[in-house]
Structure formats: C-alpha cells, structure tokens
C-alpha cells in the first residue's frame, strides 16, 4: 500500500499550512545502501573505537553517496521539487545531499519552488533567519562549524565538488555538522548546545498546524523528536506507510 500524498496534503491543509518531516527514506530512493550506513553511524556514536571510528563510518557513508548532482536524473529532481513545493516548512534528519541538490536546481520546475535554508551566502544568519524554510535537525554533510558561525559547503565552477570538500575536511580531522549520538538523550544534548541545531529544534517545537512524516522509522534514538513535537501546538500528525497493512 503506497501513501496517497496528494490526499494527505489535502487533509493536512484543513489544519493550516502543513510542515513536512523527511526521514532517511527521502534519500534512500537514490542511495539504497543509506539505511545500513546510517544505522552503523547511529550505533557507533562519539565513543566509537579507533578501528570503527566516526570518521571511518562517515567515509563509508560517502562511499555509497552519489558523487555529483548529475547522478540523479532531472526527472528525479522535478519529482522531488514538485513534492516538496507545497510545504512552507521542511524539517529533515537526512544528512545526505539530494535535498540540498534539489533545492539548488532552479532551472527545473516547478517555477514556484523556493525553499530558503537560512544562509546568506555560505554563512547561517543565526537568529535573523526568521524566513528559514528548511531545517536540518541533525545537521548535514554540507554543514560545518566555522570559527565564528555555522557555514555550508558549496561548489564553485572549476573547484572541488561538495563531496570532495567533505573528504578534504575529513582528511584534516574536520567532521561535518552531524548529530550521530547513539541515544536520544545524547542527541538532545548535542542539539541543545549548538546554536544552529537548537534554533531548528525550536522551530520544530513551535509548529501549530499539521505535520506530515515521510520516510521516518521512529527509532528509539530519535525519541527526542517526538518529545519535542509533543510540546508544540500541532493539531494533526500524518505518517506515510509503505508495504501491506497488518
């Protein structure tokens, strides 16, 4: 049984402009190995051994990740952008780049698509990002902590790709901004003590209409997300389902 997303959106709009939550399933369609790679990351945490360190696991994630935006078809991007466009706010725990790439495909439809990520150039605007529409609740491969602000990687013509930049930073001992603690408590603590992550989470808790969950498995280590949502004024929650009922 596949979710009828058009009907879900119609129902969700009865409660106002709904938000969209994207789990790992969003990128899994183009990265089949993603669930296993992220599962290993999630269970390793900051106390990982030298042999199976976080850096090694992040590299394994990079190994299965598409190297370039062109690895995904234009038809795929149009489908993604068309799906995302009706939602004024998008929250995601997916650290991979397909969402970021889809946002930047301005030459593709729909023409009404615009999803601001809260960055001015390559730097996050902090508390001034009141028009931010995309919130990376657990960070992302393209995000990192600069000396004074949160920054994002970008491709410049003739330069290194984002994936190459991530690898180069790893070679220098610089990890992306990611929330990978093995417990919900650890993830909540990481979020609470980071300006970008806590801002995104405050926005998550500040919702008051409806939320549509897509591609999320509701694992125990993400219980803080549901706890946060329970403190909001959300009126209705919709959860997508795949497979045969029962």
């Amino acid at each position: 049984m596949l979710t009828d997303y058009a009907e879900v959106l119609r129902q969700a709009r009865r409660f106002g402009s709904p938000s969209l939550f994207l789990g790992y399933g969003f990128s899994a369609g183009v990265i089949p190995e993603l669930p296993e790679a992220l599962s290993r990351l999630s269970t390793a945490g900051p106390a990982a051994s030298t042999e199976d360190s976080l850096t090694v696991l992040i590299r394994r994630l990079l190994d299965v990740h598409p190297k370039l935006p062109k690895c995904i078809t234009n038809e795929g991007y149009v489908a993604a952008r068309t799906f995302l466009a009706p939602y004024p706010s998008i929250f995601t725990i997916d650290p991979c780049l397909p969402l970021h790439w889809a946002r930047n495909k301005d030459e593709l439809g729909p023409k009404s698509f615009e999803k601001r990520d809260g960055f001015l150039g390559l730097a996050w605007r902090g508390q001034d990002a009141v028009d931010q529409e995309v919130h990376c609740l657990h960070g992302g491969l393209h995000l990192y902590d600069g000396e004074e602000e949160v920054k994002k990687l970008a491709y410049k013509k003739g330069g290194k790709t984002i994936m190459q930049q991530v690898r180069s930073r790893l070679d220098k001992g610089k990890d992306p901004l990611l929330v990978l603690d093995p417990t919900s408590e650890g993830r909540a603590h990481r979020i609470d003590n980071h300006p970008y992550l806590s801002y995104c989470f405050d926005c998550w808790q500040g919702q008051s209409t409806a939320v549509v969950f897509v591609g999320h498995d509701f694992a125990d280590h993400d219980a803080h997300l549901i706890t946060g949502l329970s403190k909001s004024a959300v009126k209705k929650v919709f959860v997508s389902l795949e497979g045969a009922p029962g």
Side-chain angles (χ1 to χ4, degrees):
M1 179 181 68
L2 298 177
T3 300
D4 183 347
Y5 289 112
E7 176 61 19
V8 169
L9 179 60
R10 188 183 72 81
Q11 292 287 340
R13 280 177 166 165
R14 294 168 53 200
F15 304 92
S17 297
S19 299
L20 178 66
F21 178 93
L22 299 175
Y24 303 143
F26 181 76
S27 289
V30 293
I31 313 175
E33 302 90 347
L34 177 63
E36 180 181 354
L38 287 174
S39 175
R40 297 197 65 176
L41 275 168
S42 297
T43 56
S49 66
T50 302
E51 181 180 358
D52 212 23
S53 69
L54 278 180
T55 299
V56 171
L57 292 172
I58 292 172
R59 289 186 185 280
R60 289 178 182 169
L61 174 58
L62 297 179
D63 287 341
V64 301
H65 194 289
K67 302 298 184 289
L68 296 166
K70 67 180 181 181
C71 295
I72 301 173
T73 65
N74 283 346
E75 290 78 9
Y77 284 123
V78 171
R81 288 167 62 90
T82 301
F83 174 71
L84 298 170
Y87 296 93
S89 293
I90 298 173
F91 298 88
T92 181
I93 59 170
D94 185 346
C96 299
L97 297 181
L99 173 60
H100 177 69
W101 286 340
R103 281 188 57 255
N104 292 332
K105 286 289 183 178
D106 295 332
E107 71 276 15
L108 302 176
K111 293 182 179 180
S112 60
F113 187 93
E114 183 180 10
K115 298 299 175 191
R116 293 178 288 268
D117 62 0
F119 285 73
L120 180 61
L122 300 181
W124 181 57
R125 292 184 292 147
Q127 300 297 321
D128 293 331
V130 294
D131 59 350
Q132 183 172 332
E133 297 168 298
V134 177
H135 306 80
C136 299
L137 294 167
H138 286 175
L141 287 173
H142 64 301
L143 304 179
Y144 68 97
D145 287 310
E147 292 183 3
E148 298 181 354
E149 55 199 350
V150 177
K151 306 191 78 172
K152 69 177 180 181
L153 300 173
Y155 170 73
K156 293 183 179 180
K157 189 174 182 180
K160 291 183 177 181
T161 67
I162 292 179
M163 295 297 289
Q164 288 173 333
Q165 292 176 60
V166 174
R167 288 186 181 276
S168 294
R169 288 181 55 81
L170 284 174
D171 290 341
K172 299 174 184 176
K174 300 177 180 179
D175 292 338
L177 173 58
L178 296 173
V179 176
L180 299 170
D181 303 76
T183 67
S184 178
E185 293 79 9
R187 295 183 179 203
H189 180 76
R190 168 83 163 123
I191 290 169
D192 288 344
N193 290 278
H194 191 279
Y196 172 82
L197 299 173
S198 61
Y199 179 84
C200 291
F201 199 78
D202 285 345
C203 293
W204 173 246
Q205 292 185 132
Q207 300 179 86
S208 60
T209 57
V211 180
V212 178
F213 279 81
V214 174
H216 186 48
D217 60 4
F218 294 92
D220 289 344
H221 54 235
D222 286 328
H224 57 287
L225 298 170
I226 305 305
T227 300
L229 192 63
S230 70
K231 298 177 181 178
S232 74
V234 161
K235 300 180 179 70
K236 196 76 171 180
V237 173
F238 296 82
V239 179
S240 66
L241 298 174
E242 295 184 4

